[in-house]
Amino acid sequence: MKTVYFTIRTFILSISLLFGVSCSKKEAPMPDNTKKGLFSIEFDNIVGDETLGFDPRVYKNAKGEAFRIKTLRYFISNIKLYKADGTEYIVPQEKSYFFMEGSDRRSRFAKVEVPEGDYNKVKFIVGVDSARSTMPTEDRQGVLSFNPEAGHDGMYWGWNQGYIFFKLEGYCDAISDDQQGDPTGNKQFRYHIGGYGGYNPKAPTLNNIKEVTMDLNPAGIAQVREGLRSNVHLFVDVLKIFNGPYTFSIVQHPTVMFSDFSQNIANNFLSMFTHDHTENFVKSESEL
């Protein structure tokens, strides 16, 4: 009987030790074999049904005011892609900030690398999120850098410690010579729209961060494949700044910056973007 008890006890102890060793052994992480391809969003600036052109080219808003554009600049950030089953891919933040310079068509692409797949929806922010706006300035790189040679290029309010999300400047002859807000006397309009909510959540300031959602189904989903690029071509209609859901007069509002009225312009951002088409299976090195 004693022999049987010892044998059983030894067997149980052996199994326990074996189990303990196997549980304590850490498994190596699975290798990342996810294939990736290039995905880009093309921001093609237009004014109504015309290609964007600068002064002396003349446009007219819904109020019948003729105007000329001198400057167009804006930030795009926080890109997210979605599959039909609801799967979400968030582009890593450090790779998800882009500066669109209206006078330089080479800047019109937001290019990222994403896992292979068919994506039928994309989201992005017009502006710069609060987390990035409040981190130490030395940690803000790329287009958010404070290096004048490579950074935000005048898209920052030093007095307000925040990025200007969208800048539109130009001329409107209907502005009177003594119009308030135009210290240059050149009948100039200036729209510098920003505001991320401020540092103190208990005392928030203006928050003009806007997230745009584009349904790609009607004009073509993005089919991302390794070694190729899928490009989502969007039109960005600058005229919607004046003629969006909120319609306003340049003469009555020639200068809008950090004020409550800026929220009306920011709300018009959402109507600026339309999906024209998607081009899939483009060679990665192609600029389209």
Side-chain angles (χ1 to χ4, degrees):
M1 188 73 178
K2 183 176 180 180
T3 303
V4 173
Y5 172 80
F6 178 81
T7 303
I8 293 175
R9 184 173 181 273
T10 303
F11 174 78
I12 293 174
L13 180 60
S14 299
I15 292 295
S16 299
L17 289 172
L18 178 62
F19 183 78
V21 170
S22 63
C23 285
S24 63
K25 183 180 180 180
K26 293 183 179 180
E27 294 184 1
M30 293 290 291
D32 183 6
N33 294 325
T34 303
K35 293 182 179 181
K36 293 184 179 181
L38 291 180
F39 170 80
S40 60
I41 308 176
E42 181 178 357
F43 295 87
D44 193 355
N45 299 309
I46 61 174
V47 184
D49 57 359
E50 301 180 45
T51 301
L52 171 69
F54 291 88
D55 183 38
R57 193 165 181 174
V58 179
Y59 300 101
K60 188 173 289 187
N61 64 13
K63 297 291 185 179
E65 298 166 331
F67 66 94
R68 308 183 306 279
I69 297 174
K70 181 181 73 170
T71 302
L72 172 67
R73 294 170 177 164
Y74 53 94
F75 284 109
I76 297 295
S77 67
N78 290 259
I79 297 174
K80 304 174 186 176
L81 292 90
Y82 297 84
K83 296 181 180 179
D85 63 2
T87 304
E88 175 189 65
Y89 178 75
I90 300 175
V91 176
Q93 276 213 331
E94 64 273 11
K95 299 179 180 180
S96 198
Y97 294 89
F98 302 91
F99 178 46
M100 303 295 158
E101 169 58 73
S103 63
D104 183 1
R105 282 186 58 79
R106 294 172 300 177
S107 74
R108 72 188 189 276
F109 291 102
K111 301 176 185 178
V112 294
E113 191 177 51
V114 303
E116 279 192 342
D118 295 344
Y119 299 95
N120 68 345
K121 184 169 65 174
V122 62
K123 292 183 180 182
F124 55 85
I125 283 176
V126 181
V128 180
D129 57 277
S130 58
R132 194 65 49 160
S133 295
T134 56
M135 67 169 42
T137 56
E138 60 269 20
D139 293 337
R140 305 182 210 175
Q141 301 300 318
V143 298
L144 302 182
S145 168
F146 286 80
N147 179 351
E149 300 299 323
H152 51 75
D153 195 17
M155 295 288 284
Y156 192 82
W157 284 313
W159 58 270
N160 191 42
Q161 295 188 338
Y163 291 94
I164 299 171
F165 302 160
F166 179 91
K167 179 183 285 189
L168 177 65
E169 297 179 342
Y171 308 96
C172 178
D173 291 339
I175 298 174
S176 63
D177 292 336
D178 60 349
Q179 180 73 47
Q180 285 188 347
D182 182 17
T184 66
N186 294 325
K187 300 186 177 184
Q188 178 177 263
F189 65 82
R190 298 177 298 166
Y191 304 124
H192 299 182
I193 310 303
Y196 59 88
Y199 283 89
N200 186 356
K202 295 182 179 179
T205 59
L206 284 173
N207 187 344
N208 283 325
I209 296 173
K210 299 299 175 184
E211 184 176 58
V212 177
T213 300
M214 303 301 306
D215 180 2
L216 304 182
N217 286 299
I221 66 172
Q223 298 173 283
V224 178
R225 300 293 183 268
E226 185 180 33
L228 300 171
R229 177 148 66 97
S230 178
N231 182 68
V232 171
H233 180 246
L234 304 183
F235 282 130
V236 186
D237 188 356
V238 180
L239 198 57
K240 293 295 185 181
I241 288 296
F242 310 104
N243 301 353
Y246 186 89
T247 302
F248 69 94
S249 162
I250 298 175
V251 172
Q252 293 178 0
H253 302 279
T255 299
V256 179
M257 295 190 183
F258 202 72
S259 66
D260 289 340
F261 191 84
S262 69
Q263 295 175 300
N264 296 320
I265 297 178
N267 288 333
N268 283 350
F269 290 166
L270 301 178
S271 64
M272 291 174 58
F273 303 89
T274 56
H275 180 208
D276 179 58
H277 70 279
T278 298
E279 189 168 1
N280 291 306
F281 314 127
V282 180
K283 288 186 178 180
S284 297
E285 64 272 13
S286 171
E287 285 300 317
L288 297 170

